[in-house]
Amino acid sequence: MTRATVITVSDGVSAGVREDLSGDALEGMLTDAGFIVGRLVVPDEQDRIADAIRSAAGSSALVLTTGGTGFGPRDVTPEATASVIEREAGGLVHLMLARGLESTPMAALSRARAGSVGSALVVNLPGSPRGATESLAAIMDLMPHVLDLLAGHTEHHSGEPRSGG
Amino acid sequence: MTRATVITVSDGVSAGVREDLSGDALEGMLTDAGFIVGRLVVPDEQDRIADAIRSAAGSSALVLTTGGTGFGPRDVTPEATASVIEREAGGLVHLMLARGLESTPMAALSRARAGSVGSALVVNLPGSPRGATESLAAIMDLMPHVLDLLAGHTEHHSGEPRSGG
Amino acid sequence: MTRATVITVSDGVSAGVREDLSGDALEGMLTDAGFIVGRLVVPDEQDRIADAIRSAAGSSALVLTTGGTGFGPRDVTPEATASVIEREAGGLVHLMLARGLESTPMAALSRARAGSVGSALVVNLPGSPRGATESLAAIMDLMPHVLDLLAGHTEHHSGEPRSGG
């Protein structure tokens, strides 16, 4: 069983005045996929978000954020993420955007980042339940392989020098 | 009425030896879309470009550059832009590239960046009239929503916790 | 005749315990395209990779790396590349990812970067022979134009102010 943490970034959820529909939806998807899921909620404060990511990456193989990736004045999740990740994962961001744009041009409003912190993968997802779950669905099938590689399981089964790198 | 500034980045236009066809075309598109449009022209000098972006972002909601995004030795508009923007908008760049590549593989020569400076959105567009107008067309429908969000109008109409972020 | 260097980034190839199938395949493609091809092999060490890129960029118009772009603990080719390149070429990365994702969602595991160092173009390619050659094929037709622009041949043939920038 692999541990994942969902970090909900939202002033409203943090203050208890908004339901965390996106966090709940992501937890459901991850549980169905066999993850043990932890949850964190933080307001749209860059330091708080960065601390939550760092903390979650210490105990989870997969860290998903939802919220704070847009153009609102307080949307700083990508900036917090960029300050923490050690190696950017531009291909995963590309795949999420490409799939999202098949649904709606509004997907282009995402400023999401992804990358690794130690052996954990951190991925920003949009704040809406639909945007968050569609973005996660776009990369879900790749997660076992990515998390295996991050954990140092770099055996090659394909006969090629590297299977994906 | 919303203010926009078109910054033409071109040694030739700046020296008065080249017509500013791209700037004119962009001004036309923006005027048709209801913007009040200002114009600036700067040579391909990183400091001059950065100063022009900063200045325009102080008075306009939307700042478009045209020119200097390619591989010529003096093409440094993306570097000037990266030095000024506070929050990168990778999704908008992705959308412009995806649409551009539907027209021509040459769209991949763009090194354009986009992002916010305060409450202004800054977007690099290619230097050719066709490249510039096609790139702007790719994101034009999103502009009202992006500029609303940047201005702090974060009302949610969809019943979801966040409509796009 | 234009010079290119293929840098194979691989602990195994560097130690002589793995065949350099990807490097061989890339050399073949480049030779067929009329390049004079040099080869370098370095282990997955960030400083060694950065030094190899810098050295190759001093004598070649095109520098391709293969390997080290994935999520393995020692995959640091993009980080070494980012430390060396002066101007990022996000459009080329976008095109390689878009084409790769037409073949397999595993293409999203690439963290490749591209950009210029002086008048040389540096492009990260995946480590597998298939991934490396498909990525290069995606951008090969653009290379003459990109390398011309980087070399300062900025004549415009199209009648537009800039042909691609």
Side-chain angles (χ1 to χ4, degrees):
Chain A
M1 300 283 280
T2 306
R3 289 184 183 276
T5 299
V6 175
I7 303 174
T8 300
V9 181
S10 166
D11 289 333
V13 173
S14 178
V17 299
R18 191 188 290 277
E19 273 192 279
D20 188 3
L21 300 177
S22 297
D24 292 347
L26 293 172
E27 177 177 353
M29 282 181 71
L30 290 168
T31 302
D32 289 349
F35 287 88
I36 302 172
V37 183
R39 299 277 292 272
L40 293 171
V41 177
V42 292
D44 291 279
E45 302 280 355
Q46 189 166 330
D47 291 352
R48 297 283 301 276
I49 303 165
D51 287 347
I53 294 172
R54 248 187 302 260
S55 166
S59 60
S60 293
L62 178 62
V63 179
L64 303 179
T65 67
T66 174
T69 61
F71 287 92
R74 292 182 55 73
D75 287 335
V76 292
T77 301
E79 285 63 45
T81 304
S83 75
V84 173
I85 56 178
E86 296 153 0
R87 297 185 299 169
E88 289 224 53
L92 295 177
V93 172
H94 183 110
L95 178 55
M96 291 189 292
L97 283 168
R99 289 282 183 279
L101 288 169
E102 292 170 9
S103 294
T104 169
M106 298 285 282
L109 270 61
S110 173
R111 307 188 303 101
R113 311 283 281 250
S116 65
V117 178
S119 59
L121 179 70
V122 180
V123 180
N124 295 332
L125 303 172
S128 73
R130 182 176 156 182
T133 54
E134 285 186 356
S135 288
L136 178 56
I139 60 169
M140 188 67 109
D141 288 348
L142 300 173
M143 286 303 100
H145 191 57
V146 171
L147 300 183
D148 257 15
L149 289 166
L150 281 168
H153 306 141
T154 52
E155 310 298 320
H156 299 293
H157 308 286
S158 66
E160 296 192 338
R162 285 160 184 277
S163 56
Chain B
M1 299 283 280
T2 306
R3 290 184 181 274
T5 299
V6 175
I7 303 174
T8 300
V9 181
S10 165
D11 289 333
V13 174
S14 179
V17 298
R18 189 188 290 280
E19 272 192 280
D20 187 3
L21 300 178
S22 298
D24 292 346
L26 294 172
E27 178 177 351
M29 282 181 72
L30 290 168
T31 302
D32 289 347
F35 287 89
I36 302 171
V37 183
R39 300 277 291 272
L40 293 172
V41 177
V42 292
D44 292 277
E45 303 280 354
Q46 189 166 331
D47 290 352
R48 296 283 299 276
I49 304 164
D51 286 347
I53 293 173
R54 248 187 302 259
S55 165
S59 60
S60 293
L62 177 61
V63 179
L64 303 179
T65 68
T66 174
T69 60
F71 288 92
R74 291 181 54 75
D75 286 336
V76 292
T77 301
E79 285 63 43
T81 304
S83 77
V84 173
I85 57 178
E86 297 153 0
R87 298 186 298 168
E88 289 224 53
L92 295 176
V93 172
H94 183 109
L95 178 55
M96 291 190 291
L97 283 168
R99 289 284 182 278
L101 288 170
E102 292 170 9
S103 294
T104 168
M106 299 286 281
L109 270 60
S110 172
R111 307 188 302 101
R113 312 281 282 248
S116 64
V117 178
S119 60
L121 179 69
V122 181
V123 180
N124 295 331
L125 303 173
S128 74
R130 183 176 156 182
T133 54
E134 284 186 356
S135 288
L136 177 56
I139 60 169
M140 187 68 109
D141 288 348
L142 300 173
M143 286 305 98
H145 191 57
V146 171
L147 300 182
D148 257 13
L149 289 166
L150 281 168
H153 307 142
T154 52
E155 309 298 319
H156 299 293
H157 309 284
S158 67
E160 297 192 337
R162 284 162 184 277
S163 55
Chain C
M1 300 281 280
T2 305
R3 290 184 182 276
T5 299
V6 175
I7 303 174
T8 300
V9 180
S10 165
D11 289 333
V13 173
S14 178
V17 298
R18 190 187 290 277
E19 274 192 277
D20 188 2
L21 300 177
S22 298
D24 293 347
L26 294 172
E27 178 178 350
M29 282 181 72
L30 290 168
T31 301
D32 289 350
F35 287 89
I36 302 171
V37 184
R39 299 277 292 272
L40 293 171
V41 177
V42 292
D44 291 279
E45 303 279 355
Q46 189 166 330
D47 290 352
R48 296 283 300 276
I49 304 164
D51 287 347
I53 293 171
R54 248 186 301 259
S55 166
S59 60
S60 293
L62 178 60
V63 178
L64 303 178
T65 68
T66 173
T69 61
F71 288 92
R74 292 181 56 75
D75 287 336
V76 292
T77 301
E79 284 65 43
T81 304
S83 75
V84 173
I85 55 179
E86 296 152 1
R87 298 185 298 169
E88 289 224 54
L92 295 177
V93 172
H94 183 108
L95 178 54
M96 290 191 291
L97 283 168
R99 289 282 181 279
L101 288 170
E102 292 171 7
S103 294
T104 169
M106 298 286 281
L109 270 62
S110 172
R111 307 188 302 102
R113 311 283 281 250
S116 65
V117 178
S119 60
L121 179 69
V122 181
V123 180
N124 295 331
L125 304 172
S128 73
R130 183 176 155 183
T133 54
E134 285 186 356
S135 288
L136 178 55
I139 60 170
M140 188 67 110
D141 288 349
L142 301 172
M143 286 303 99
H145 190 57
V146 172
L147 300 183
D148 258 14
L149 289 166
L150 281 168
H153 307 139
T154 52
E155 309 299 320
H156 298 292
H157 309 286
S158 67
E160 296 191 339
R162 286 161 185 275
S163 57

